[in-house]
Amino acid sequence: MALFVDVILPLPLDSLFTYTVQDNPDDVKQGCRVIVQFGKRKYYTAIVVNVYEGEPKEGIKEIISVLDREPIVFSTQLEFWNWVSSYYMCSIGDVYKAALPSALKLESETLIAKIDGFEKKSEFTPTELKVYYALPDNEAVKISELEKQLKISNIIPYVKSLVDKGAIEISEDIRNNYISKKRNVISLAKDFSERELHLFIDILQRAKKQQQLLMEFLRIREEASDIKLFSIDKKELSDKTGIASAIIDALVDRKILKQTQEEISRFNYGQANPEASNTLNAHQQEAYNKIQSLFNNKSVVLLHGVTSSGKTEIYIRMIAEAIARGQQVLYLLPEIALTTQITERLKSVFGNKLSVYHSKFNDNERAETWTTLVSQGEGRVVLGARSAIFLPFSDLSLIIVDEEHESSYKQQDPAPRYNARNAAIVLANIHKCKVLLGTATPSVETYYNARNGKFGLVTLTKRHDEIELPEIVPVNTKELKRRKQMKSVLSPPLIDKMKIAFSDGKQAILFQNRRGFAPLIECKVCSWTKYCDHCDVSLTYHKGQGVMVCHYCGATYRIPDVCPNCETPTLDVVGYGTERIAEEVGEVFPDASIARMDLDTTRTKRAYEHIISDFESGKTNVLIGTQMVSKGLDFDNVTVVGILNADGLLNYPDFRAHEKAFQLMTQVSGRAGRKNARGLVLLQTANPQHPIIKDVVNNDYENFYDTQIAERQLFRYPPFYRLISVVLKARDERVLEEASRHFAQILRESFGENVLGPTKPPVARVQSLYIRNILLKVEIQASPQKVRDAIKYYKEYLFSQPDFKSVLIQFDVDPLV
Ligand code: ADP
Ligand code: ZN
Ligand code: ZN
């Protein structure tokens, strides 16, 4: 008999692959990582799904090595991956790729680098030593290159072992500030007496540097609170004394000083302190009780609480209870900016019981969170962005999806194109645990489920401390323009209110849903404007960088001095992005300190933290941002919020445009007047009579919902129909046209009327690929599995035709755009 394993490879492949196991068959278990060869000389980390015995077979490769003794992926995760792959119509390999941090899935293409200051090389095996020394200093190399250079056929297991020992790391984006995992600490080699120490100083008469260092060391030690236990970071000692670390080594060799290595966790949130949480106010307590009782017979409850009603306080209470029982909680947030703030609130209560997980952490940090959860998962809360649903939970008792309406819960690209809010409900089902959805502006789909009893519904209508919801005042910009009073993007009433706020030491938030300086550069004479060479979209002017940028592919372009078309120097900027607004605010308020929060200013985790903490501490007076500033941020001192261009939000050709506009405006308004006094929102629009604007001004969610749900029913949209979007792409537009028409036609044979398209999307070419969409509306009663199978079958059929081989096809189930 031979032993076989079926594994998942980190490649966009649907099936499992079978390998045999020779040595130590006992070591291979489901959920362990193994190294396998796939394709010519390519090595991958694969996940074991099945282990079984069978008759020996020809032509099956052996696994190269086993990386784990105990599973690092649990069976519940594999079950969840399967669901994601089947529901979202992508391969299991894609799910695996999305789920595991790269540091845990080394492959030939992975970049690795030495960690500075690693000392314990004595623990290396000879091969590990060889690999380690082959690595250049201060530079990352591909594992495959290292293999070639060393002429060792598969070095991934050695690399893995070196990663575990803390000697090397997966190379990261250099923008991430990396905190080393190990540090070297210097102390006295023994508890020497004063006399002995003097003797040493005398002995070192001939080694001046060493003598000087020892004296400096002793001086620093004198200042320490506990002389006996004194130790100092090696680098710090060298920095403080200005003496090279080789001199420290010499004293270590003389056994006067001692060097030890200390493990430092990349995350240190300190001690848990349950006392640090607030007591619930009466409304919150009532809501809390109702949630608990609804959980008796509903697995999902929607907490519909107005902005600043203290939803977070209710979550904290529920997390504390789960942790006390030794269970786990997953707390999902849609936006990293928000994670930064909530982390501060949670860490004061839960200390090191808290893990934080999102894409702005580097791979090594994410891997650490993963392995901590596997080995010390008991009683933990994980705060994370959407990808946190893939973490290895073993005893999940609650999933909180905060700001459940947010479209950033949906992953757009690459596959799996999942919605973390919906997937969380399935995950909860697998773990037999509860889901709490929280928001001030529920998505139409969620509210529909709450109204018809599928979800429990709990409502909080009062802000904490009984502060009134902000007053929202529309400002008619059309009228002001007619009267020639709009001198800048800021209307006179907004300028007045900001002036008052600043003179009272208060702050303002301005919201404009466009980044960059201006969305368009146009010739005044001939209306020429520049389009991206690779995408069918006009370019955004970024003044700070002095370029025009394509927001679809990132390509940058120089700004011409004269119009390339008519050759007159009359190029003009049209429209407003956050950068231009910052400039105008600077002109109107020269003394104000201004910060901008958008994609361009928040490339790193640190950047978020700075913007938020500077605004919290009052260092900045006004925060200008895109939708990032609308999401759940909690500042005490904001009295004025300006929505600069509401119309830009309302005029999108998308059936969800009005829903999104209502949510964004209500949410951003919710940033005003959260503490002490009622806030004011100025909403600039050319159309104050627009029904959505009226609903926002009246804070009338119910009316908004009733209108929306009626339209959804009439036009056959979710929640009455399920949508599957088929996206076809190709370099050759003619081939694409034909393939799309053909595909739509075969779909129509099965689904008739419910197939729409093919249509040209608003941006019909991105990165040199032409795009067509076909939309499928599936009746809610229809079996989704059958529909998916049919679509997949037609896809195979399409690709069986040689003409269409060059066409790419993607599925987006429950698309949001
Ligand atoms: P939401 O998440 O509903 O928008 P938050 O939980 O952020 O609201 O609460 C808004 C503000 O009010 C926060 O600064 C929070 O600390 C404070 N707050 C809410 N509830 C309480 C409470 N029970 N005790 C003390 N402070 C509270
Ligand atoms: Zn482009
Ligand atoms: Zn021109």
Side-chain angles (χ1 to χ4, degrees):
M1 284 302 215
L3 194 69
F4 294 98
V5 291
D6 298 335
V7 303
I8 307 173
L9 285 169
L11 295 168
L13 300 167
D14 264 323
S15 52
L16 300 178
F17 292 83
T18 305
Y19 290 82
T20 61
V21 188
Q22 289 295 350
D23 333 317
N24 290 336
D26 295 347
D27 285 348
V28 196
K29 295 177 193 153
Q30 185 193 63
C32 289
R33 289 171 299 164
V34 293
I35 302 293
V36 298
Q37 191 182 354
F38 186 82
K40 237 190 190 171
R41 304 178 56 82
K42 282 248 168 76
Y43 298 98
Y44 295 96
T45 303
I47 300 288
V48 174
V49 177
N50 303 312
V51 186
Y52 52 92
E53 291 195 337
E55 291 298 331
K57 263 187 270 179
E58 283 292 301
I60 292 190
K61 286 204 192 88
E62 252 178 65
I63 60 169
I64 310 268
S65 64
V66 181
L67 294 190
D68 303 300
R69 303 210 148 259
E70 293 303 323
I72 68 149
V73 174
F74 300 139
S75 62
T76 43
Q77 284 176 286
L78 293 174
E79 188 182 336
F80 183 56
W81 292 7
N82 269 326
W83 175 80
V84 172
S85 135
S86 133
Y87 187 86
Y88 292 107
M89 303 181 69
C90 66
S91 69
I92 189 84
D94 278 331
V95 185
Y96 164 39
K97 267 169 59 179
L100 247 77
S102 321
L104 293 178
K105 48 173 204 281
L106 303 174
E107 51 183 279
S108 302
E109 301 303 297
T110 309
L111 281 168
I112 52 171
K114 265 185 195 169
I115 294 181
D116 267 358
F118 183 80
E119 299 281 345
K120 285 201 204 156
K121 295 170 195 118
S122 55
E123 289 177 3
F124 293 169
T125 64
T127 318
E128 284 169 19
L129 209 58
K130 221 161 136 186
V131 172
Y132 183 79
Y133 280 117
L135 279 168
D137 291 328
N138 310 318
E139 201 190 317
V141 290
K142 270 190 195 164
I143 291 182
S144 58
E145 283 166 18
L146 209 57
E147 263 171 3
K148 258 190 233 152
Q149 184 191 333
L150 287 169
K151 302 199 170 62
I152 304 177
S153 74
N154 175 17
I155 64 167
I156 293 179
Y158 308 107
V159 170
K160 185 243 174 198
S161 166
L162 286 168
V163 170
D164 291 348
K165 286 176 180 167
I168 63 176
E169 63 184 331
I170 308 308
S171 173
E172 283 298 327
D173 191 334
I174 36 167
R175 286 180 307 231
N176 273 319
N177 296 13
Y178 178 71
I179 317 156
S180 172
K181 217 189 150 194
K182 295 249 165 85
R183 60 180 197 142
N184 296 312
V185 178
I186 303 295
S187 55
L188 281 178
K190 258 198 282 178
D191 186 13
F192 297 116
S193 69
E194 281 301 304
R195 248 198 71 226
E196 285 172 304
L197 290 172
H198 280 285
L199 197 67
F200 292 146
I201 294 176
D202 289 343
I203 294 171
L204 292 173
Q205 203 56 28
R206 314 270 295 275
K208 279 281 178 231
K209 278 275 174 207
Q210 293 181 36
Q211 185 190 46
Q212 194 193 337
L213 181 89
L214 180 59
M215 281 159 61
E216 287 281 314
F217 174 85
L218 293 173
R219 193 186 53 74
I220 299 170
R221 174 173 168 267
E222 283 301 314
E223 291 162 8
S225 52
D226 189 345
I227 291 193
K228 281 222 177 314
L229 292 175
F230 175 72
S231 67
I232 180 167
D233 185 88
K234 188 176 183 181
K235 192 159 177 307
E236 191 186 338
L237 179 61
S238 164
D239 288 350
K240 270 193 175 163
T241 57
I243 298 174
S245 66
I247 307 292
I248 305 177
D249 294 341
L251 283 173
V252 171
D253 286 343
R254 285 181 191 265
K255 306 247 174 348
I256 296 173
L257 295 182
K258 177 174 76 180
Q259 173 171 326
T260 43
Q261 270 194 338
E262 250 178 32
E263 183 104 16
I264 39 168
S265 169
R266 296 188 174 95
F267 305 101
N268 191 356
Y269 296 135
Q271 289 286 319
N273 179 18
E275 313 284 285
S277 67
N278 292 314
T279 345
L280 299 186
N281 67 36
H283 305 292
Q284 293 161 353
Q285 183 63 45
E286 198 185 321
Y288 166 87
N289 294 344
K290 198 162 169 213
I291 295 168
Q292 294 295 21
S293 88
L294 280 167
F295 272 154
N296 287 330
N297 49 34
K298 308 258 185 220
S299 9
V300 184
V301 170
L302 167 65
L303 173 59
H304 179 197
V306 296
T307 53
S308 204
S309 53
K311 296 183 286 295
T312 320
E313 303 295 334
I314 298 177
Y315 306 153
I316 290 175
R317 166 83 173 269
M318 302 184 82
I319 297 166
E321 287 167 352
I323 289 184
R325 294 191 302 268
Q327 290 192 291
Q328 300 167 329
V329 177
L330 169 60
Y331 183 165
L332 288 174
L333 286 169
E335 176 69 43
I336 295 163
L338 199 46
T339 328
T340 318
Q341 240 190 10
I342 306 273
T343 301
E344 291 303 313
R345 277 167 83 174
L346 294 193
K347 96 180 173 195
S348 64
V349 185
F350 302 114
N352 280 327
K353 288 286 175 194
L354 169 68
S355 300
V356 184
Y357 191 83
H358 58 65
S359 59
K360 286 281 190 300
F361 281 109
N362 72 40
D363 267 322
N364 303 284
E365 291 170 323
R366 280 191 281 169
E368 184 173 326
T369 300
W370 187 290
T371 47
T372 304
L373 217 48
V374 170
S375 59
Q376 304 153 48
E378 202 184 300
R380 287 205 152 265
V381 52
V382 178
L383 180 67
R386 61 176 181 241
S387 62
I389 57 170
F390 291 114
L391 282 167
F393 296 102
S394 46
D395 191 5
L396 205 48
S397 86
L398 175 67
I399 305 178
I400 297 161
V401 185
D402 198 12
E403 313 294 350
E404 70 78 31
H405 63 280
E406 274 292 338
S407 54
S408 35
Y409 277 123
K410 178 80 200 282
Q411 166 145 323
Q412 215 49 53
D413 263 313
R417 296 180 177 80
Y418 63 98
N419 183 320
R421 182 242 291 153
N422 299 349
I425 295 173
V426 174
L427 182 67
N429 228 335
I430 293 174
H431 284 270
K432 309 267 172 297
C433 80
K434 304 293 177 191
V435 180
L436 181 60
L437 306 174
T439 175
T441 51
S443 65
V444 169
E445 284 90 337
T446 296
Y447 207 65
Y448 176 78
N449 282 331
R451 274 259 189 103
N452 71 19
K454 191 169 163 200
F455 298 167
L457 174 63
V458 177
T459 316
L460 261 175
T461 54
K462 292 270 187 301
R463 280 194 153 181
H464 176 60
D465 263 356
E466 312 280 330
I467 294 173
E468 268 187 89
L469 281 167
E471 183 188 0
I472 304 177
V473 182
V475 176
N476 190 335
T477 47
K478 198 167 162 193
E479 185 59 26
L480 287 169
K481 270 183 196 146
R482 203 178 54 79
R483 287 193 266 142
K484 306 244 181 298
Q485 286 180 358
M486 286 294 282
K487 300 226 164 50
S488 78
V489 70
L490 307 175
S491 61
L494 180 56
I495 295 177
D496 281 349
K497 297 301 176 190
M498 286 171 71
K499 234 178 233 159
I500 297 171
F502 296 158
S503 68
D504 290 350
K506 304 289 182 193
Q507 294 166 301
I509 289 180
L510 300 180
F511 166 66
Q512 170 79 338
N513 214 10
R514 269 206 182 260
R515 65 189 171 99
F517 190 82
L520 216 60
I521 286 194
E522 200 180 65
C523 172
K524 273 192 204 162
V525 174
C526 73
S527 295
W528 170 90
T529 187
K530 172 83 183 141
Y531 280 75
C532 178
D533 293 343
H534 320 285
C535 315
D536 287 345
V537 68
S538 56
L539 301 170
T540 303
Y541 175 40
H542 286 245
K543 193 175 182 183
Q545 298 160 261
V547 290
M548 297 185 286
V549 182
C550 170
H551 282 186
Y552 280 77
C553 73
T556 56
Y557 298 83
R558 205 183 53 81
I559 297 142
D561 303 324
V562 296
C563 168
N565 187 42
C566 69
E567 297 187 349
T568 41
T570 46
L571 293 179
D572 199 10
V573 291
V574 182
Y576 281 88
T578 43
E579 197 184 348
R580 186 169 181 194
I581 288 161
E583 194 177 282
E584 290 203 353
V585 172
E587 280 161 16
V588 181
F589 300 98
D591 299 329
S593 157
I594 302 164
R596 197 148 61 81
M597 187 156 80
D598 54 36
L599 257 184
D600 300 312
T601 62
T602 54
R603 301 281 179 200
T604 67
K605 194 172 60 173
R606 292 275 149 112
Y608 278 107
E609 287 164 5
H610 277 151
I611 295 170
I612 289 172
S613 69
D614 283 355
F615 196 61
E616 262 170 355
S617 69
K619 250 192 226 163
T620 19
N621 310 105
V622 50
L623 184 63
I624 300 165
T626 54
Q627 29 79 33
M628 273 184 195
V629 297
S630 73
K631 301 181 182 179
L633 291 167
D634 182 34
F635 299 112
D636 292 356
N637 212 20
V638 177
T639 52
V640 178
V641 163
I643 298 173
L644 299 180
N645 179 11
D647 311 320
L649 300 170
L650 290 164
N651 306 329
Y652 275 106
D654 169 14
F655 74 92
R656 283 197 180 85
H658 286 181
E659 178 185 3
K660 275 191 207 149
F662 177 85
Q663 289 163 341
L664 267 170
M665 289 192 268
T666 306
Q667 289 289 347
V668 75
S669 302
R671 302 315 114 204
R674 291 170 76 86
K675 288 273 165 73
N676 311 318
R678 190 179 186 195
L680 176 69
V681 180
L682 294 174
L683 198 163
Q684 301 188 165
T685 172
N687 188 3
Q689 294 309 316
H690 193 290
I692 290 290
I693 304 260
K694 283 185 153 172
D695 288 340
V696 172
V697 169
N698 300 331
N699 185 35
D700 196 345
Y701 179 84
E702 297 287 325
N703 188 59
F704 150 80
Y705 171 80
D706 288 337
T707 335
Q708 291 301 308
I709 201 78
E711 281 183 18
R712 299 279 189 99
Q713 184 146 30
L714 186 63
F715 296 109
R716 303 195 300 167
Y717 278 117
F720 303 100
Y721 282 76
R722 224 185 279 277
L723 302 182
I724 299 179
S725 154
V726 182
V727 183
L728 297 106
K729 299 181 182 178
R731 257 168 224 287
D732 185 328
E733 194 170 17
R734 202 188 43 82
V735 170
L736 178 69
E737 279 284 338
E738 208 174 315
S740 318
R741 235 180 299 124
H742 194 65
F743 199 63
Q745 182 157 8
I746 40 181
L747 285 176
R748 266 195 194 98
E749 278 164 23
S750 290
F751 306 108
E753 293 268 270
N754 291 331
V755 180
L756 282 86
T759 53
K760 243 181 165 175
V763 178
R765 187 178 56 120
V766 173
Q767 292 188 308
S768 303
L769 289 172
Y770 291 92
I771 308 171
R772 292 293 181 274
N773 287 341
I774 299 170
L775 190 67
L776 196 67
K777 290 181 169 177
V778 184
E779 267 135 54
I780 221 71
Q781 308 83 325
S783 148
Q785 188 58 47
K786 273 200 190 127
V787 176
R788 287 191 294 260
D789 289 347
I791 297 174
K792 277 193 178 167
Y793 174 78
Y794 293 141
K795 174 187 154 188
E796 296 307 318
Y797 169 72
L798 187 75
F799 284 141
S800 69
Q801 306 176 43
D803 288 357
F804 300 140
K805 282 271 189 290
S806 63
V807 177
L808 289 171
I809 190 162
Q810 289 168 358
F811 302 116
D812 190 350
V813 179
D814 305 336
L816 282 188
V817 284

